[in-house]
Amino acid sequence: MHTDAVPMKDAAPNGWRGAMRRVMTSPALLALVVVLSFFWQLGAMPLYDLDEGAFTEATREMLASGNYITPHRDGEPRYDKPVLIYWLQAASTQTVGFDEFGLRLPSALAASVWVLALWFFVRERLDAPTATVAGLALALSLQVSLIGKAAVADALLNLFIALTFFEIYRYWQALDFKSGRRFVRRAYLWMGLGFLTKGPVAVFFPVVVSLLFVLSSLRWSKASALALWYWLRAAVYPLGWLIFLLVAGPWYLAIYLDDGAGFFKSFFLQHNLGRFEGAMHDHGGFPGYYLVMLPVILLPFTGWMLSLFKRYRSAWLDPLDRFLWIWFLVVLVFFSFSGTQLPHYLLYGATPLFILMARHREALTNRWLAFVPPLVFFGLLLVLPFVLDVAMVVSSRPYDVILFEEARHAITLEYGIAALGGLLLTALMLRWSSPPLWRRLVLVGLVQTLVVYGEVAPRVLDTLQAPVKEAALIAKQTQLPTVVYRTSMPSFSVYREAITPNRAPQPGELVFLRVDKLEHLTREHPELDLELVYHRGHVALLRARPGA
């Protein structure tokens, strides 16, 4: 077992430095960070479109219709994702209430268990302080905290992917199939639940990474051949595949019986194979996309991650480091050549980075490498009002100008104080010479979380989504038939608590739309006599008056 090498100044047992060391590696601090990152402000912000709105509307319709097999969105089958996240959101809202908190609670719990699973694995393979440091880095990183607070499937999927990989490594370390098969059974359980959450990705990466890890260990000796056989026994383990089928199979069979082959054609061919072959929903990229996005999603720990490359070559001599690097690199390479690219895809391979960062935290010695990324982040937040002023002038699309103007009005003195405070505190951490850099970055992570979820995220969502929620509540109160026109904001249906067809309105109906779509509506349907019911920023609610 490898024990993390800790610099002498990081191991001071007495005095304030020793006290700080104990605090920074305390499970109590990790528990506090988990609450702050995943539960603070969980129900305080409106749902965002498209993702949260689409997931939660499918959950709402599931509860309203009693059809717990085929998810629907605005009356049409939603084949984007399997069913587990909808079931968990339904159970949560039935327990704590149908609101933002109840809809996001499964993600917050999944992210918390993700941190807990990582902590147990690292403590088992290394030691408790390293486990706590890895958990802090995971919970405080920007993208992880975002999906931990979002009513989508990503936190749940990342939990099951991480659990699967942890079992794979435990099995490898057992070096005996009889004693290690309990880990194999658990791996198949987690893959089954992952397959029920988001499909083939939960199986593809564990199989590919585990095979490459075994091949990287081969020396073409008798023992190496036995290692390959050891992997093969787990890969074709009948009881494991039975567990997988018992977990995932019943729902896939049920949706086939309920809905025919539509789900399988749409989900497997379009939403899996199609996403790799081409860009969906304009989410295209380029081969270097994730090299650009990785530093962003790991904020404020970008420099900490980059310091790992000092040990990249020697890491291949250590089985655990090699396993973690292969896990990360396979995910990075695979999605770099995918036609559809989104930042959160890379999180499937981010868990090993947090373990490597914690294990080799003494390798972070360059303070500028450590602190320039968060300084740039807080600096960009600070100058955002000026950027929006320029954007309003140079933008050629009226709709974008409206959004920029709304965002500019949402930025108040409190926002500026928060951004400036984050910048100054990060600069202070840069100048503070005593604690190790990784400790100071954890403190910056706490500041980042307070600024992002105390000021930035509430203002962004208030600008983009509060008008949608307000219009939906007005439409709900009128109890008039309502449609949407050329507008994809499914949270409107969630807040209205009713299916909202996407079509032109008939006399006597309300129509919800983006303001830039109003010209299309009046041009294509000049017979409509439209009366403004609600307008705020980029959305409007109108009534088609009868008798027009």
Side-chain angles (χ1 to χ4, degrees), residues 15 91 94 123 205 279 365 370 404 419 429 448:
Q94 291 297 96
R123 187 189 66 167
F205 286 120
T365 56
F404 294 145
M429 292 296 113
Q448 175 181 281

Side-chain angles (χ1 to χ4, degrees), residues 252-275:
Y252 280 90
L253 175 61
I255 195 171
Y256 177 77
L257 296 175
D258 186 58
D259 215 38
F263 171 81
F264 294 88
K265 292 178 181 178
S266 178
F267 178 66
F268 288 104
L269 296 181
Q270 181 181 353
H271 290 285
N272 281 272
L273 184 60
R275 283 177 185 268

Side-chain angles (χ1 to χ4, degrees), residues 19-238:
M20 184 178 182
R21 173 181 175 270
R22 289 189 291 273
V23 169
M24 295 298 289
T25 57
S26 165
L29 175 63
L30 180 58
L32 177 63
V33 165
V34 165
V35 171
L36 187 68
S37 292
F38 304 138
F39 294 91
W40 178 52
Q41 297 277 63
L42 190 63
M45 297 172 283
L47 301 169
Y48 68 80
D49 292 310
L50 294 169
D51 288 348
E52 277 196 311
F55 275 96
T56 55
E57 173 57 14
T59 297
R60 189 200 66 77
E61 291 184 39
M62 181 176 285
L63 289 168
S65 67
N67 180 352
Y68 290 87
I69 302 302
T70 303
H72 288 76
R73 175 193 152 185
D74 283 322
E76 299 295 327
R78 185 173 195 256
Y79 294 141
D80 296 45
K81 303 294 182 292
V83 77
L84 185 56
I85 186 62
Y86 307 119
W87 285 347
L88 294 179
Q89 288 180 353
S92 174
T93 54
Q94 291 297 96
T95 303
V96 302
F98 192 91
D99 55 18
E100 291 92 344
F101 181 86
L103 289 163
R104 290 170 175 151
L105 182 59
S107 291
L109 293 173
S112 302
V113 179
W114 182 10
V115 173
L116 185 64
L118 175 139
W119 189 88
F120 277 111
F121 176 78
V122 178
R123 187 189 66 167
E124 170 191 301
R125 308 315 317 174
L126 301 170
D127 54 67
T130 302
T132 300
V133 175
L136 289 170
L138 173 64
L140 289 171
S141 66
L142 182 61
Q143 188 69 39
V144 172
S145 63
L146 286 173
I147 67 168
K149 277 185 161 78
V152 295
D154 296 291
L156 190 64
L157 175 64
N158 276 282
L159 166 63
F160 293 136
I161 287 177
L163 286 170
T164 303
F165 276 106
F166 296 158
E167 303 298 356
I168 288 171
Y169 192 78
R170 290 182 179 115
Y171 169 71
W172 172 257
Q173 289 289 295
L175 293 177
D176 174 69
F177 186 77
K178 185 176 180 180
S179 60
R181 60 189 174 188
R182 70 183 187 276
F183 305 128
V184 179
R185 290 194 291 266
R186 293 206 297 252
Y188 277 98
L189 170 63
W190 306 133
M191 285 194 295
L193 290 170
F195 202 76
L196 204 57
T197 303
K198 215 166 183 179
V201 67
V203 179
F204 173 79
F205 286 120
V207 171
V208 172
V209 170
S210 61
L211 177 59
L212 291 177
F213 175 62
V214 170
L215 293 176
S216 74
S217 306
L218 293 181
R219 296 294 182 271
W220 305 113
S221 64
K222 182 178 179 180
S224 298
L226 289 174
L228 188 58
W229 171 245
Y230 187 59
W231 175 86
L232 190 61
R233 290 190 70 181
V236 298
Y237 185 40

Side-chain angles (χ1 to χ4, degrees), residues 439-470:
R439 287 191 204 162
R440 287 180 264 166
L441 275 182
V442 168
L443 295 177
V444 172
L446 288 167
V447 173
Q448 175 181 281
T449 300
L450 292 172
V451 171
V452 169
Y453 298 108
E455 281 293 329
V456 179
R459 294 184 186 281
V460 169
L461 290 178
D462 183 70
T463 298
L464 295 177
Q465 298 299 138
V468 181
K469 182 177 181 178
E470 291 170 2

Side-chain angles (χ1 to χ4, degrees), residues 182-411:
R182 70 183 187 276
F183 305 128
V184 179
R185 290 194 291 266
R186 293 206 297 252
Y188 277 98
L189 170 63
W190 306 133
M191 285 194 295
L193 290 170
F195 202 76
L196 204 57
T197 303
K198 215 166 183 179
V201 67
V203 179
F204 173 79
F205 286 120
V207 171
V208 172
V209 170
S210 61
L211 177 59
L212 291 177
F213 175 62
V214 170
L215 293 176
S216 74
S217 306
L218 293 181
R219 296 294 182 271
W220 305 113
S221 64
K222 182 178 179 180
S224 298
L226 289 174
L228 188 58
W229 171 245
Y230 187 59
W231 175 86
L232 190 61
R233 290 190 70 181
V236 298
Y237 185 40
L239 181 57
W241 285 109
L242 177 62
I243 292 170
F244 178 87
L245 290 173
L246 289 175
V247 171
W251 176 77
Y252 280 90
L253 175 61
I255 195 171
Y256 177 77
L257 296 175
D258 186 58
D259 215 38
F263 171 81
F264 294 88
K265 292 178 181 178
S266 178
F267 178 66
F268 288 104
L269 296 181
Q270 181 181 353
H271 290 285
N272 281 272
L273 184 60
R275 283 177 185 268
F276 187 81
E277 292 180 341
M280 291 189 66
H281 307 303
D282 296 322
H283 294 311
F286 53 94
Y289 174 83
Y290 287 108
L291 296 178
V292 175
M293 292 309 302
L294 180 62
V296 177
I297 70 175
L298 293 181
L299 279 169
F301 306 123
T302 303
W304 191 354
M305 179 273 298
L306 293 175
S307 72
L308 295 175
F309 289 93
K310 294 180 183 178
R311 296 173 174 265
Y312 179 76
R313 291 184 179 275
S314 61
W316 293 88
L317 301 175
D318 181 277
L320 178 57
D321 275 18
R322 186 167 68 251
F323 177 76
L324 296 172
W325 273 111
I326 293 173
W327 176 0
F328 163 68
L329 289 172
V330 167
V331 174
L332 173 67
V333 171
F334 178 82
F335 283 118
S336 291
F337 292 96
S338 173
T340 302
Q341 296 182 329
L342 288 167
H344 65 265
Y345 290 172
L346 197 56
L347 286 183
Y348 308 157
T351 299
L353 291 180
F354 297 119
I355 300 174
L356 288 165
M357 287 158 56
R359 186 181 195 184
H360 303 296
R361 54 192 181 272
E362 80 284 355
L364 180 61
T365 56
N366 187 315
R367 66 173 64 194
W368 290 104
L369 178 66
F371 288 103
V372 164
L375 283 171
V376 171
F377 175 69
F378 285 119
L380 290 175
L381 292 182
L382 189 61
V383 302
L384 181 60
F386 307 103
V387 174
L388 291 172
D389 286 338
V390 173
M392 281 188 285
V393 174
V394 302
S395 179
S396 59
R397 295 178 57 189
Y399 178 74
D400 292 339
V401 173
I402 292 172
L403 283 179
F404 294 145
E405 186 177 8
E406 276 197 282
R408 185 64 182 86
H409 289 159
I411 296 177

